[in-house]
Amino acid sequence: MRILSVHNRYQIRGGEDECHKAEVSLLRERGHSVEVYEENNERVASLGTLRTATKTIWSQEAYQIVRERLRAQPHHLVHVQNFLPLISPSVYYAAKAEGVPVVQTLHNYRLLCPNALFFRNGQVCEDCLGKSVPLSGIQHACYRDSHAATGVVSAMLMAHRAMHTWTEMVDIYIALTEFARQKFIEGGLPAKKIMVKPNFVHPEPALGTGSGRYALFVGRLSVEKGLDTLLAAWELLGEHLPLKIVGEGPLESQVAEAAQRLPQVEWLGRRPMSEVHQLMGEALVLIFPSKWYETFGRVAVEAFAKGTPVIAANIGAIAELVDSGRTGLHFRPGDPGELAVQVKWVLAHPSEVAQMRREARAEFEGKYTAEKNYQQLMNIYAQTRTALIT
């Protein structure tokens, strides 16, 4: 099978970029020909505000590139990972003009919410869900804290809603969890076109020992990730259990201050993936305190691969991924007191935690390996091509 994979990279490689890279690698390893058309946000500075805004709504450049590549060699399908801001939904139209089916992976909530998170002022916000005009998002400058930038993204959403792009130009959408699928259905995407396929971990990490006697947080240091909840919980816990924090982001100064003030908290900054997986394998538990509707939770699945249970906020997709009492525990989002209670439970129940480690690894092997994912992806591709024919 020959696939054109389309992706707009961020300036700093993030979760979507890693998932795209892993999927391309997996397909190539299985003998498929994957051509990548990729833009990078580093170009934004050289293009300037006006040209970037125009490309966000409709990139004629991307349209021409995709058409030319599809004409040069026959492709079975186009798989779009991320199109904002430099590629745009014009690539769907390019594929359709050449008679090639389109798959779109929904890594975030961009088609329903200008900032893609359903999160504003430190809490969940669904003001724009299902609205033809995302007026609230524009009023509150939800994208990059800029009224102008939010206006551009909102114009893209409104224009393509009016053109029926979302309902007619994509053959199959891939949601990462059932929770995310239901949100997209609420937002107006056709249910029959949305299939669920989770992300995966490849290459597969080896099982860890859990002997490190510390808790671990891995992720972006930002408000929606629940860093305030995490740090407040460790103030309550005192020195019951050390906490290691891996990551970078806008809340770095707060994390650094907490690490200086609290002897039980250590901030490690950014670390290579091999070291992160080593830390995960030795951790007693991974903490996932997000306050927004995660579409997935790759870090949790990586922890499962290492056999490490996860204490997760009971919200969004992460609540779906963590089976409370079997592969980890839930706590009320934004509640440091309950998070502290769950950490104390883990410390007081070593035999139950040992069983959770076995269940976590089994969960990974049953759902999140490269082989399982490949089978699901091939099924989706087959249905996409069938949908185009019918």
Side-chain angles (χ1 to χ4, degrees), residues 40-49 51-52 86:
N40 193 310
N41 278 6
E42 289 178 352
R43 283 190 66 200
V44 170
S46 62
L47 288 170
T49 302
R51 288 183 66 193
T52 300
L86 298 178

Side-chain angles (χ1 to χ4, degrees), residues 244-260:
K244 296 181 185 291
I245 297 175
V246 175
E248 299 173 317
L251 299 186
E252 286 181 9
S253 60
Q254 294 181 33
V255 174
E257 185 276 329
Q260 190 172 35

